[in-house]
């Protein structure tokens, strides 16, 4: 058997390497800030900190499950076991050198976390999971290097802003003004939760990452950064895949050794 | 003489080997007697909601919700007399005394499971005979047994047939079949694809392996009927049905087992690639400057079957660990993205499953609303594009849900799923198809 090691992502550019790094679950994401559990719960706005998890069905042990070999085999997540509701955290990522592109959120989310439901839309990426599982995942998503306080937004609704110019403080536009730049501390502060409901106390998510650092960390191809077309290996990968899909649709038996 | 050289080992839903080196053609809808029986039963078996008819007659609410004819009602004890109705219905439907007609009384007389004799279907060209014969015979039976007069017979007709023929389908009727009326099929050969996943999950009593198997049999049989599984494409579908739907070589079960405790969707993609390399289905083509290795294959049909089996395993891990059906469209897109990036080879159905996932995600999650996965089927406008490789995974996801949706499979399926789960071949298709494959093995 050929020695096989998961490779996650093709491409020779810096951006491709960053993509590969974030998607590889053996790479530990750098923690850049600490957000308390209670603050995170407040930011998402699904329950009040300390409040018991609401459930959508009884705990699995109580309700009993149908006789199914797959249910017997597959260990439910803690949230599923308890019958938690399914809740979400949603992000908007600016087109200006944020650590993750929308698609990267899905690829990375599925290689790192179990039992998650991620969708990619034009300007927003929701991640849904059982509530207590979601809180665990959300911690990673907000506390580590894949989140830039100024250019990533935690936005449940009115997500618009990913493709607009940054303001004078380098902040992504937010029609609901959920986050503000505190000039005194140099930190980004959330004054509303992800839906836009005002918070009792502002929550700081730390200082924005510097532009030059972001340019090193980003997984976005950009003409004024690392252009997609300059990553020949990546372009070759996409073109080959397109060719194989098309050839296979014509006659799968003719696709041999190419 | 077999057309294709492929042989597979057969396993049951718990990963126990059943038979070795069975030609893949023994698992073809064109050859396997159990599959043909399943397809026949789908046409022949019809469910009757006697309790519903009784209620409709008592209240005058006939032909759909809120459609009440004031002052018109009939008090008939149908449920109490279910046994005698069943006997009369059977003799009315029988062509000859010893034919295969069956009428089974279920739930203390509330429901009937009717099997219309094959002879009636053989004497026509439409699968609707199952429905029409049952509905018409039931009207005759009720009118006869309960001495309904000329002036009330129309009420019985409306309670049984619903608003049909004013509506295209029997709206508000109390006789139902797995198959929809032909006008609701998206194109030629779509009939077997027009079965919502809610029915499949309930018929198989929420056993995810059997749900996937039944769905795969119906989808892939439809591929033959649609004109997809023929010529250059026949082997693609045969291998897909065997590996994804019927757990050939225990591929699905093995991958699920390997990732059952902590595995992510990404881990499932990696396990699938590992197995494909180990079995010689794919091999390295070239190493790129970055160190990335692109893979190639000499058998794209088999690679597709492996990827399809991985897709089902990925659904079972993701939807299974969350005990939630809503995750499945996300699996369809990103499992394929991940496995394509892992190998450089096309994902399941050469991109069609990923595309289906994008649409299904929108129609099951977004501002559009749409519905939960239980309402989707292979004839649905947003999930019909993959050639039989998506819907088995949706059926498995619905089976694995612990109760996260507002409109439950039970509510969507109504009487049909529950009633048809009484048919052993539909409830446990994996077992019966395996047995049948072994029985014809020598002939291929």
């Amino acid at each position: 058997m050929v020695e096989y090691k998961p490779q996650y992502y093709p491409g020779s550019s810096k951006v491709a390497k960053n993509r590969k790094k974030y998607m590889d679950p053996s790479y530990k994401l750098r923690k850049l800030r600490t957000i308390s559990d209670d603050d995170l719960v407040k930011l998402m706005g699904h329950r009040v900190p300390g409040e018991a998890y609401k459930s959508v069905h009884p705990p699995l042990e109580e309700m009993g499950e149908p006789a199914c070999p797959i249910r017997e085999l597959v260990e439910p997540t803690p949230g599923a076991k308890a019958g938690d509701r399914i809740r979400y955290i949603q992000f908007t990522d600016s087109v200006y050198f944020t650590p993750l592109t929308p698609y990267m959120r899905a690829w990375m989310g599925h290689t790192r976390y179990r039992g998650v439901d991620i969708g990619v839309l034009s300007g927003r990426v929701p991640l849904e999971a059982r509530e207590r599982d979601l809180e665990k995942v959300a911690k990673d998503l907000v506390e580590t290097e894949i989140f830039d306080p100024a250019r990533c937004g935690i936005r449940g609704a009115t997500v618009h802003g990913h493709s607009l110019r940054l303001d004078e403080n380098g902040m992504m536009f937010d029609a609901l003004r959920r986050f503000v730049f505190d000039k005194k501390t140099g930190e980004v502060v959330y004054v509303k939760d992800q839906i836009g409901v005002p918070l009792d106390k502002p929550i700081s998510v730390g200082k924005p990452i510097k532009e030059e650092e972001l340019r090193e960390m980003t997984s976005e191809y950009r003409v004024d950064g690392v252009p997609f077309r300059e990553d020949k290996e990546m372009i070759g990968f996409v073109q080959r895949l397109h060719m194989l899909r098309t050839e296979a649709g014509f006659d799968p038996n003719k696709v041999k050794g190419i | 003489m077999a057309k294709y050289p492929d042989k597979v080992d057969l396993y049951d839903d718990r990963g126990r080997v059943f038979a070795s080196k069975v030609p893949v053609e023994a698992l073809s809808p064109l050859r396997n007697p159990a599959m043909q029986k399943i397809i026949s039963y789908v046409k022949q078996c019809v469910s009757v909601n006697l309790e519903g008819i009784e209620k409709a007659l008592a209240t005058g609410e006939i032909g759909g919700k809120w459609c009440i004819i004031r002052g018109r009602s009939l008090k008939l004890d149908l449920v109490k007399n279910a046994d005698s109705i069943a006997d009369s219905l059977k003799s009315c439907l029988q062509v000859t005394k010893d034919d295969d007609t069956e009428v089974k009384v279920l739930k203390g007389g509330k429901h009937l499971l009717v099997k219309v004799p094959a002879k009636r279907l053989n004497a026509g060209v439409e699968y609707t005979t199952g429905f029409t014969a049952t509905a018409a015979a039931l009207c005759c039976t009720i009118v006869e047994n309960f001495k309904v007069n000329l002036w009330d017979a129309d009420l019985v007709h409306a309670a049984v047939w619903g608003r049909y023929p004013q509506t295209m389908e029997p709206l508000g009727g109390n006789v139902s079949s797995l198959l929809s009326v032909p006008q609701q099929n998206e194109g030629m050969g779509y009939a077997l694809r027009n079965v919502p996943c809610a029915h499949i999950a309930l018929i198989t009593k929420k056993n995810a392996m059997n749900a996937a198997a039944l769905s795969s049999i119906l989808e892939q049989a439809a591929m033959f009927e649609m004109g997809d599984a023929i010529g250059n494409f026949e082997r693609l579908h045969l291998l897909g049905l065997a590996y994804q739907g019927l757990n050939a070589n225990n591929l699905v079960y093995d991958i699920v087992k390997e990732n059952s405790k902590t595995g992510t969707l990404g881990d499932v993609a990696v396990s699938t690639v590992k197995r494909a390399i180990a079995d010689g289905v794919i091999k390295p083509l070239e190493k790129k400057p970055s160190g990335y290795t692109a893979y190639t294959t000499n058998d794209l049909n088999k690679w597709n079957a492996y990827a399809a089996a991985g897709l089902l395993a990925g659904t079972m891990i993701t939807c299974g660990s969350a005990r939630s059906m809503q995750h499945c469209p996300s699996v369809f897109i990103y499992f394929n993205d991940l496995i394509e990036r892992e190998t450089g080879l096309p994902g399941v159905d050469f991109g069609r499953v990923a595309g289906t996932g994008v649409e299904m995600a929108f129609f099951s999650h977004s501002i559009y609303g749409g519905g939960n996965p239980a309402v989707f089927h292979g004839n649905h406008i947003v999930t019909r594009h993959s050639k039989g490789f998506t819907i088995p995974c949706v059926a498995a996801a619905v089976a694995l849900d612990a109760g996260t949706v507002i409109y439950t499979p039970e509510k969507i399926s109504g009487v049909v799923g529950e009633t048809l789960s009484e048919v052993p071949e539909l409830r446990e298709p994996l077992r019966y198809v395996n047995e049948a494959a072994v029985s014809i093995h020598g002939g291929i």
Side-chain angles (χ1 to χ4, degrees):
Chain A
M1 191 193 145
V2 194
E3 188 58 40
Y4 165 72
K5 260 181 77 188
Q7 22 188 27
Y8 302 107
Y9 205 81
S12 54
S13 61
K14 190 167 65 186
V15 169
K17 280 182 191 133
N18 285 338
R19 289 186 174 203
K20 185 175 169 164
K21 187 170 77 177
Y22 298 140
M23 283 167 74
D24 179 355
S26 67
Y27 169 75
K28 198 169 179 321
L29 298 168
R30 274 188 302 136
K31 189 175 166 183
L32 298 186
R33 60 195 76 83
T34 301
I35 312 286
S36 73
D37 292 353
D38 284 356
D39 281 350
L40 197 64
V41 166
K42 283 186 204 159
L43 275 175
M44 288 194 282
H46 301 307
R47 66 183 183 108
V48 177
E51 185 191 358
Y53 292 103
K54 291 191 178 81
S55 55
V56 68
H57 59 72
L60 295 180
E61 246 179 43
E62 271 177 35
M63 65 189 276
E65 294 201 83
C68 165
I70 299 303
R71 288 193 194 226
E72 288 164 25
L73 216 52
V74 179
E75 178 77 15
T77 63
K81 250 185 221 169
D84 286 359
R85 300 177 301 176
I86 293 172
R87 286 296 175 263
Y88 73 94
I89 186 164
Q90 184 167 266
F91 293 92
T92 299
D93 296 288
S94 167
V95 295
Y96 292 105
F97 303 105
T98 47
L100 295 180
T101 62
Y103 253 80
M104 274 298 299
R105 283 202 180 272
W107 292 336
M108 192 206 77
H110 276 302
T111 56
R112 287 177 182 268
Y113 311 111
R114 185 172 155 92
V116 289
D117 175 15
I118 308 167
V120 177
L121 294 98
S122 52
R124 60 190 177 101
V125 182
L127 182 149
E128 298 186 30
R130 298 280 192 161
E131 196 162 356
R132 74 192 67 194
D133 307 337
L134 169 73
E135 288 174 7
K136 267 190 158 173
V137 175
K139 196 112 171 113
D140 256 11
L141 298 181
V142 180
E143 285 189 337
T144 64
E145 60 184 309
I146 51 173
F147 181 81
D148 173 43
R151 301 185 196 193
C152 303
I154 307 168
R155 301 180 179 181
T158 318
V159 297
H160 188 65
H162 77 285
S163 61
L164 301 186
R165 279 173 296 172
L166 304 175
D167 71 8
E168 69 273 24
N169 299 312
M171 301 274 286
M172 177 168 59
F173 173 80
D174 180 8
L176 296 188
R177 297 191 175 180
R178 273 162 281 221
F179 62 178
V180 289
F181 184 68
D182 184 337
K183 282 187 178 160
K184 274 190 209 148
T185 59
E187 292 184 349
V188 176
V189 175
Y190 273 76
V191 293
K192 293 176 183 172
D193 70 9
Q194 64 172 344
I195 284 292
V197 177
L199 294 163
D200 293 339
K201 263 199 214 156
I203 296 169
S204 169
V205 288
K207 289 184 174 154
I209 301 172
K210 289 193 180 96
E211 171 87 10
E212 47 291 8
E213 228 176 296
L214 276 173
R215 280 177 177 259
E216 289 302 309
M217 293 163 58
T218 190
S219 58
E220 282 177 6
Y221 286 101
R222 281 185 61 92
V223 278
D224 54 354
V226 176
F228 180 69
R229 288 176 193 284
E230 278 176 19
D231 191 341
K232 299 281 182 235
E233 189 180 311
M234 182 61 207
I235 282 271
F237 165 86
V238 173
Q239 288 173 338
R240 175 168 179 261
L241 204 58
H242 181 71
M243 176 271 289
L244 287 174
R245 281 178 171 186
T246 314
E247 293 273 358
F250 174 61
D251 185 355
N253 305 302
K254 287 192 177 136
V255 180
K256 280 188 200 293
I258 48 172
Chain B
M1 181 70 184
K3 228 176 180 177
Y4 304 107
D6 308 274
K7 290 191 173 169
V8 292
D9 294 345
L10 304 179
Y11 285 79
D12 70 3
D13 60 343
R14 292 182 176 275
R16 290 174 297 220
V17 69
F18 181 75
S20 298
K21 295 200 165 46
V22 175
V24 77
E25 277 164 81
L27 299 170
S28 165
L30 303 179
R31 309 286 285 262
N32 187 290
M35 284 188 199
Q36 289 167 359
K37 225 179 204 179
I38 287 170
I39 293 162
S40 269
Y41 287 169
V42 167
K43 290 186 277 186
Q44 284 178 271
C45 294
V46 173
S47 69
V48 173
N49 183 358
L50 270 190
E51 191 190 27
I53 299 173
E54 190 176 299
K55 224 187 242 173
L57 290 173
T59 57
E61 187 173 2
I62 48 174
K65 252 189 177 177
W66 307 301
C67 189
I68 302 168
I69 304 177
R70 301 274 174 212
R72 296 287 316 267
S73 68
L74 265 181
K75 289 247 178 285
L76 303 181
D77 286 333
L78 302 181
V79 175
K80 230 190 239 169
N81 292 292
D83 289 323
S84 64
I85 293 174
D87 289 342
S88 312
L89 184 61
K90 186 176 175 182
S91 52
C92 190
L93 283 166
Q94 272 177 330
V95 178
T96 53
K97 268 223 145 83
D98 54 348
D99 68 14
D100 54 342
T101 313
E102 276 176 39
V103 181
K104 210 168 163 183
V105 178
L106 304 171
K107 285 192 110 178
K110 288 181 181 168
H111 305 154
L112 300 178
L113 169 63
V114 180
K115 196 169 128 214
V116 174
K119 280 178 184 159
R120 284 192 180 270
L121 279 134
N122 295 343
V125 290
E126 252 191 47
Y127 61 80
T128 45
T129 305
F131 175 89
T132 53
T134 304
L138 189 61
C139 286
C140 295
T141 301
I142 293 173
V143 168
E144 284 287 312
N145 287 18
F146 292 87
K147 306 200 176 355
V148 178
N149 65 34
L150 173 72
W151 310 105
D152 288 330
D154 57 339
L155 265 189
V156 174
H157 185 281
V160 172
W161 288 77
R163 211 182 297 177
Y164 180 83
Q166 275 72 43
T167 49
M168 196 170 67
E169 77 285 9
L171 177 71
N174 282 292
V175 175
S176 33
S177 144
L178 259 191
L179 303 169
S180 302
V181 295
Q183 292 91 330
Q184 287 178 335
N185 295 335
E186 287 282 337
M188 289 188 277
Y190 271 84
L192 286 171
R193 305 191 74 187
N194 204 352
V195 181
C197 290
H199 290 327
I200 305 284
L202 289 189
I203 290 171
T204 52
K205 300 235 175 228
K206 295 194 177 173
N207 174 319
M209 290 293 271
N210 276 320
L214 179 59
S215 175
S216 189
I217 291 164
L218 298 180
E219 281 279 293
Q220 298 294 355
M223 292 307 130
F224 283 87
E225 206 174 353
M226 289 166 68
D228 278 289
I230 198 161
N232 294 347
F233 297 93
E234 184 175 13
R235 193 167 159 266
L236 171 84
H237 292 284
L238 285 179
L239 291 173
L241 171 56
Y243 283 89
Q244 184 189 46
L246 304 172
N247 191 30
N249 292 354
N250 215 24
L251 195 54
V252 172
Y253 192 88
D254 277 347
I255 298 174
V256 171
K257 197 172 171 192
E258 200 180 318
N259 294 288
S260 59
K261 301 292 173 233
T262 56
T264 63
L265 185 65
D267 294 332
V268 173
V270 167
S271 298
T272 310
V273 174
K274 258 190 206 161
R275 181 79 181 251
I277 296 171
D279 294 353
V281 178
I282 62 174
K283 59 182 182 199
L285 177 69
E286 62 172 321
K287 201 165 190 160
K288 303 285 183 187
S290 70
Y292 178 84
T293 303
Y295 284 80
T296 187
T297 178
N298 284 326
D299 191 348
L300 199 66
N301 296 316
K302 201 174 227 179
W303 162 247
N304 182 68
Y306 269 61
L311 179 79
L312 177 59
T315 311
M316 287 170 167
I317 289 298
T318 303
C319 298
S321 61
R323 295 294 197 271
S324 156
M325 62 171 89
Q326 71 165 63
H327 297 49
C328 64
S330 189
V331 171
F332 302 154
I333 311 170
Y334 303 112
F335 175 83
N336 284 296
D337 271 357
L338 292 176
I339 209 163
E340 284 180 346
R341 269 137 203 86
E342 201 54 55
T343 59
L345 286 165
V348 187
D349 214 5
F350 321 134
R352 281 188 287 246
V353 172
T356 306
V358 173
E359 288 177 82
M360 189 180 172
F362 181 67
F363 277 72
S364 60
H365 281 72
S366 198
I367 42 174
Y368 178 81
N372 71 50
V375 306
F376 286 90
H377 46 74
N379 182 65
H380 194 285
I381 189 84
V382 290
T383 42
R384 67 180 201 204
H385 308 93
S386 170
K387 300 294 184 178
F389 297 100
T390 302
I391 298 300
C393 303
V394 182
V398 173
L400 289 168
D401 189 278
T404 64
V405 292
I406 294 170
Y407 293 100
T408 60
E410 287 78 2
K411 218 185 258 178
I412 295 165
S413 179
V415 182
V416 186
E418 204 184 332
T419 314
L420 291 190
S421 71
E422 292 291 323
V423 183
E425 286 84 352
L426 297 179
R427 190 180 60 238
E428 295 167 70
L430 211 45
R431 181 178 142 201
Y432 288 94
V433 166
N434 279 351
E435 285 173 5
V438 171
S439 74
I440 58 162
H441 173 181
I444 295 169

